């Protein structure tokens, strides 16, 4: 029997972890001689105080939603996909190829085509580590780390030698044609009479990310495949006994995970930059780990965590702009969240379990 | 390519292999005791910053070295608390440590020095200077041996010699002492060690602390010997290459030396595209050469060329009772 009620497990444990991370971050801010209350104020007004701020917050959240879902799906199968970064990089290559070399008639079709390309490239980059894990027992964490570096090298080579327009010094592709430009939230909300900031990068991809969220939930909890993925993640011998093939489940879970990470590229490459640059992912693949841990690998939790990290990212940029606190503060907060919700989970859980046990004894 | 170019290439191989070797041996101690450590990168980075910062402030590279080792040990202990005491996920803890180091170093550097996340350039006593071995000049005239002695063996900083001395020392500790036997046992079958009345937790903490010391040396080498000062993200994936070398070496000290020298050679070749062109007649992209260690590690991991089998209890927290 579980010691803790479900609500405590789902809400209390992550919340306490978050508070611990926040307290430590406040101490860090104090230590470098800034005022934490003022910092939070600046972050809230910067990230949520205007449609411009919201536009950036949601743009970042879209990236983290995709990578967070990617890590979550792998987590459910008991796999730790640390390669979201590389998969998203390759997804960007897929988007760039689709946008530059296929003459699309309309942005909707271009979006569809680019999404397929991004998902395929991302999945392909996850396929080799997945195959090696499934067939040869190579540790997926190590192989996906290696594939992040290999991916960066491949992208570097492709951008410098193959896809750079002639005469340009910048290691980036040419601009995507006008027709593939995605409508931003400004364009979408204007007909509804809502005025949204014109210069914020949040675009129609946010809707697709929400859709992906629902689809992942449906897949994991409403289909056979999802059931098999989750039971394999809970107990490999149990799943084997029930006739679930470890090879098939490992492959499928990692392919879905890689495809989700790759899909991130329609937001940052197609929606924002409108060309492929060298460091397009900017660590979003790694933030996916924090987002998945924070959201307890549940699509709804991932949504909330992604928006939280979107807020932190935009707020952090504002902080760096107005105070002497560098952007790296967000990296520290991200590390603390990963530490408390992931590695030091038991530190929060053990005293809580003791507390609930005590309460239950008193009742009995 | 003449002989002297060749010796110089080997010389920079040694320079670049040193941090990899130290980090690789650090990972060796930790993983042999059953604690996976993907936080080598972060610990190196923290040590690189603190040794450069303290060396810059105090003017003494030795104080810097101590600070670097201490900071790396703090991160090691954090990893130990998370993965040994609280039985958390060792991989996630490693990821957290990498980010924590990446963020904190820049944050503190900005606060202390206000130079955009770097330390001032180190000069004089704040740096490890190359050591000229005895007779390096007078023996230099001897053909073949002379240039090798003068260019390759002599003229490195003290940490390079320490790193190479660590290889036989690690081998001796692991395979010729009681502590080493127990350390290896705790990574294969902790229950057996526990039954014998030896503390699993104690051994694993010892391994993690040794790992911290060695990562500290690696980081200090980066910022006070290889370069003169700390810059943001200066470990640049070396911790992961060390991890790759560890797998390549199949968790053995002497193989670790060969693996890190090989990866060091790739690093040296990356900066000398002209040498490759002279040797093979083809132009190889530096970026692709840089990815070679990772590709080779994946191939080794796949078991196509001699399978790498990690310590059996690696990554699993030890629970006394079930």
């Amino acid at each position: 029997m579980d010691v803790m009620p479900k609500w405590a497990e789902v809400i209390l444990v992550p919340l306490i972890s978050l508070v611990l991370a926040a307290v430590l971050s406040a101490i860090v801010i104090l230590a470098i001689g800034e005022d934490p209350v003022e910092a939070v104020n600046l972050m809230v007004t910067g990230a949520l105080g205007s449609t411009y701020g919201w536009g950036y917050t949601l743009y970042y959240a879209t990236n983290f939603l995709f990578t967070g879902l990617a890590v979550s799906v792998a987590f459910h199968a008991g796999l730790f996909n640390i390669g979201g970064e590389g998969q998203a990089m390759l997804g960007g290559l897929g988007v760039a190829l689709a946008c530059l070399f296929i003459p699309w008639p309309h942005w909707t079709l271009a979006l569809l085509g680019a999404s397929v390309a991004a998902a395929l490239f991302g999945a392909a980059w996850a396929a080799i580590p997945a195959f090696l894990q499934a067939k040869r027992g190579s540790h997926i964490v190590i192989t996906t780390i290696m594939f992040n570096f290999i991916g960066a090298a491949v992208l570097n080579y492709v951008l410098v030698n193959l896809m750079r327009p002639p005469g340009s010094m910048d290691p980036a592709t040419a601009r995507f044609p006008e027709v593939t430009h995605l409508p931003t939230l400004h364009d979408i909300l204007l007909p509804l009479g809502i005025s949204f900031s014109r210069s914020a990068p949040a675009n129609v991809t946010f809707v697709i990310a929400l859709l992906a969220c629902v689809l992942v939930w449906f897949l994991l909890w409403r289909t056979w495949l999802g059931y098999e993925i989750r039971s394999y993640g809970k107990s490999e011998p149990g799943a084997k006994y029930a006739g679930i093939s470890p090879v098939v489940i490992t492959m499928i879970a990692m392919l879905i995970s890689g495809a989700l990470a790759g899909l991130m590229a329609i937001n940052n490459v197609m929606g924002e930059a409108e060309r492929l640059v060298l460091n397009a992912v900017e660590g979003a693949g790694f933030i996916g780990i924090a987002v998945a841990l924070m959201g307890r690998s549940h699509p709804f939790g991932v949504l909330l965590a992604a928006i939280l990290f979107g807020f932190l990212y935009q707020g952090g940029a504002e902080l760096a702009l107005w105070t002497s606190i560098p952007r790296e503060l967000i990296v520290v907060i991200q590390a603390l969240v990963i530490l408390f919700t992931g590695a030091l989970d038991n530190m929060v859980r053990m005293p809580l379990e003791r507390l609930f046990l005590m309460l239950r004894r008193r009742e009995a | 390519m003449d002989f002297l170019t060749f010796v110089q290439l080997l010389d920079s191989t040694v320079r670049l292999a040193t941090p990899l070797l130290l980090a690789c041996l650090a990972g060796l101690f930790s993983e042999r005791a059953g604690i996976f450590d993907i936080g080598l990168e972060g610990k190196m980075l923290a040590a690189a910053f603190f040794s450069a910062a303290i060396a810059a402030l105090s003017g003494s590279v030795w104080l810097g070295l101590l600070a670097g080792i201490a900071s790396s040990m703090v991160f090691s202990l954090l990893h130990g608390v998370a993965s040994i005491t609280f039985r958390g996920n060792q991989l996630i803890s490693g990821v957290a440590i990498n980010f924590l180091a990446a963020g904190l170093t820049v944050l503190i550097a900005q606060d202390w020095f206000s130079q955009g996340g770097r330390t001032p350039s180190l000069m004089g006593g704040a740096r490890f200077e190359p050591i000229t071995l005895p007779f390096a000049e007078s023996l230099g005239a001897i053909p073949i041996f002379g240039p090798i002695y003068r260019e390759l063996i002599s003229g490195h900083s003290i940490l390079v010699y320490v790193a190479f001395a660590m290889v036989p020392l690690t081998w001796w500790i692991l395979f010729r002492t009681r502590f080493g036997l127990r350390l290896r046992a705790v990574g294969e079958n902790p229950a057996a060690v526990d039954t014998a009345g030896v503390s699993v937790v104690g051994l694993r903490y010892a391994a993690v602390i040794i790992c911290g010391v060695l990562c500290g040396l690696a980081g200090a080498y980066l910022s006070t010997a290889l370069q003169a000062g700390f810059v943001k993200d200066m470990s640049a994936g070396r911790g992961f290459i060390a991890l790759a070398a560890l797998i390549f070496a199949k968790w053995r000290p002497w193989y670790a030396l060969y693996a890190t020298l090989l990866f060091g050679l790739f690093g040296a070749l990356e900066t000398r595209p002209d040498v490759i062109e002279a040797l093979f007649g083809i132009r190889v992209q530096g970026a692709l050469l840089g990815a070679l260690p990772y590709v080779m590690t994946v191939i080794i991991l796949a078991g196509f060329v001699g399978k790498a089998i990690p310590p059996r209890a690696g990554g699993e927290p030890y629970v006394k009772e079930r």
Side-chain angles (χ1 to χ4, degrees):
Chain A
M1 192 175 70
D2 290 338
V3 182
M4 271 196 287
K6 193 145 194 236
W7 65 267
E9 173 77 41
V10 176
I11 298 170
L12 214 52
V13 175
L15 211 61
I16 293 176
S17 305
L18 190 66
V19 168
L20 281 173
V23 168
L24 275 181
S25 311
I27 293 174
V28 170
I29 297 177
L30 272 179
I32 58 174
E34 295 275 344
D35 180 6
V37 178
E38 174 123 358
V40 171
N41 270 338
L42 255 175
M43 284 173 83
V44 171
T45 36
L48 310 174
S50 61
T51 58
Y52 174 80
W54 269 103
Y56 268 97
T57 300
L58 290 180
Y59 163 72
Y60 289 126
T62 310
N63 285 343
F64 305 154
L65 201 47
F66 279 121
T67 53
L69 286 174
V71 177
S72 300
V73 170
F75 267 156
H76 276 290
L79 301 163
F80 187 10
N81 176 15
I82 210 165
E85 191 79 5
Q87 289 144 19
M89 263 180 234
L90 267 285
L93 185 59
V95 166
L97 290 174
C99 288
L100 286 172
F101 294 107
I102 301 174
W104 299 102
H106 191 254
W107 67 265
T108 46
L109 289 172
L111 179 60
L112 198 68
S115 302
V116 171
L120 277 180
F121 272 67
W125 208 242
I128 307 168
F131 178 81
L132 292 177
Q133 165 81 50
K135 280 284 188 191
R136 320 275 317 180
S138 326
H139 205 301
I140 195 137
V141 172
I142 307 290
T143 42
T144 45
I145 290 177
M146 301 297 142
F147 265 73
N148 282 340
F149 286 102
I150 302 171
V154 167
L155 203 64
N156 191 332
Y157 178 79
V158 168
L159 285 182
V160 171
N161 296 290
L162 305 176
M163 289 181 78
R164 190 174 47 159
S168 156
M169 288 305 289
D170 209 13
T173 64
R175 294 213 153 269
F176 298 161
E178 190 74 37
V179 66
T180 65
H181 292 187
L182 297 179
T184 61
L185 285 191
H186 167 81
D187 304 329
I188 298 170
L189 293 177
L190 202 59
L192 304 175
I194 306 166
S195 84
F196 199 87
S197 167
R198 186 187 290 272
S199 48
N203 57 69
V204 66
T205 318
F206 180 62
V207 182
I208 297 181
L210 292 178
L211 206 66
C213 217
V214 177
L215 281 178
V216 167
W217 172 81
F218 186 82
L219 169 86
L220 285 173
W221 277 281
R222 289 292 179 274
T223 63
W224 273 104
L225 182 64
Y227 181 75
E228 292 193 349
I229 288 177
R230 285 184 300 126
S231 44
Y232 177 72
K234 280 264 181 339
S235 162
E236 193 183 329
K240 263 191 198 156
Y241 187 70
I244 296 169
S245 157
V247 174
V248 171
I249 292 300
T250 303
M251 285 302 292
I252 290 181
M254 277 305 286
L255 287 178
I256 295 173
S257 178
L260 282 166
L263 271 174
M264 189 198 115
I266 53 172
N267 189 44
N268 68 339
V269 177
M270 191 176 180
E272 203 253 347
E274 290 164 356
R275 61 181 187 147
L276 181 60
V277 295
L278 205 48
N279 182 23
V281 185
E282 288 181 315
F286 294 120
I287 294 166
I289 300 167
V291 168
L293 286 170
M294 177 96 225
R296 283 290 181 267
S297 299
H298 190 287
F300 187 64
V302 168
L303 174 62
L304 291 181
I307 291 177
L308 174 75
F309 268 90
F311 155 72
L312 283 177
Y313 239 65
Q314 171 55 14
E318 291 284 320
L319 268 189
L321 204 60
W322 301 110
T323 68
S324 63
I325 305 174
R327 267 197 95 146
E328 275 72 15
L329 177 69
I330 304 311
V331 182
V332 175
I333 297 178
Q334 174 195 342
L336 291 172
V337 168
I338 294 177
L339 193 66
F340 283 111
T341 56
L344 288 173
D345 192 47
N346 280 334
M347 190 181 84
V348 179
R349 192 182 303 261
M350 280 174 186
L352 264 184
E353 282 184 346
R354 223 165 283 155
L355 184 74
F356 275 103
L357 213 59
M358 216 169 71
L359 288 176
R360 190 176 297 167
R361 284 221 188 92
R362 196 167 293 170
E363 271 171 32
Chain B
M1 189 176 65
D2 60 5
F3 183 65
L4 200 62
T5 318
F6 181 66
V7 171
Q8 280 166 354
L9 190 69
L10 290 185
D11 180 60
S12 54
T13 300
V14 168
R15 276 170 218 283
L16 293 173
T18 299
L20 300 179
L21 179 59
L22 286 165
C24 186
L25 292 175
L28 188 91
F29 273 103
S30 182
E31 301 212 346
R32 275 285 186 164
I35 306 290
F36 276 160
D37 196 351
I38 55 175
L40 296 175
E41 173 88 1
K43 280 183 282 220
M44 252 162 104
L45 191 64
F49 168 68
F50 280 101
S51 45
I54 299 299
L57 292 175
S58 71
S60 158
V61 70
W62 291 101
L63 281 179
L65 178 67
L66 280 183
I69 291 175
S71 64
S72 169
M73 276 170 67
V74 168
F75 278 90
S76 263
L77 282 175
L78 182 62
H79 188 54
V81 168
S83 51
I84 304 170
T85 306
F86 287 109
R87 295 178 207 139
N89 187 322
Q90 299 168 7
L91 300 166
I92 294 175
S93 165
V95 171
I97 282 171
N98 285 339
F99 285 121
L100 204 56
L104 276 181
T105 48
V106 178
L107 219 56
I108 301 175
Q110 183 61 22
D111 188 42
W112 286 2
F113 303 106
S114 311
Q115 295 189 1
R118 55 169 65 223
T119 62
S121 291
L122 302 175
M123 276 172 291
R127 259 198 97 188
F128 280 111
E129 297 293 342
I131 297 172
T132 311
L133 293 182
F135 314 118
E137 285 311 312
S138 51
L139 290 176
I142 304 170
I144 308 289
F145 175 76
I148 290 181
Y149 186 71
R150 195 184 57 203
E151 300 286 330
L152 184 57
I153 300 176
S154 169
H156 293 288
S157 74
I158 178 90
L159 290 179
V160 174
Y161 301 107
V162 169
F164 280 81
M166 280 311 295
V167 177
L169 186 65
T170 302
W171 173 84
W172 185 76
I173 290 175
L174 280 180
F175 297 97
R176 287 294 178 274
T177 67
R178 181 153 54 166
F179 171 73
L181 178 68
R182 287 174 175 174
L183 192 118
R184 284 181 293 132
V186 92
E188 297 289 337
N189 192 345
V193 176
D194 203 15
T195 314
V198 182
S199 165
V200 172
V201 171
L203 272 171
R204 287 193 163 170
Y205 265 107
V208 162
I209 286 172
I210 297 173
C211 170
V213 172
L214 289 172
C215 275
L217 288 174
Y221 174 79
L222 282 183
S223 62
T224 60
L226 192 64
Q227 280 155 41
F230 173 87
V231 288
K232 180 181 166 184
D233 286 329
M234 80 178 301
S235 51
R238 283 190 179 90
F240 293 111
I241 296 191
L243 207 60
L246 183 59
I247 294 161
F248 213 70
K250 301 178 185 168
W251 294 269
R252 285 177 225 160
W254 283 105
Y255 287 82
L257 174 65
Y258 309 143
T260 46
L261 279 177
L262 181 67
F263 291 172
L265 178 66
F266 292 155
L269 282 174
E270 209 177 325
T271 55
R272 295 292 301 268
D274 55 313
V275 173
I276 308 174
E277 212 172 341
L279 274 180
F280 304 107
I282 42 165
R283 273 186 64 88
V284 181
Q285 281 293 319
L288 292 186
L289 204 62
L292 210 51
Y294 306 114
V295 175
M296 289 172 71
T297 304
V298 170
I299 293 171
I300 285 285
L301 267 176
F304 295 123
V305 198
K307 197 157 175 59
I309 300 163
R312 193 141 62 107
E316 283 168 24
Y318 177 62
V319 186
K320 213 181 187 105
E321 305 155 65
R322 294 246 180 228

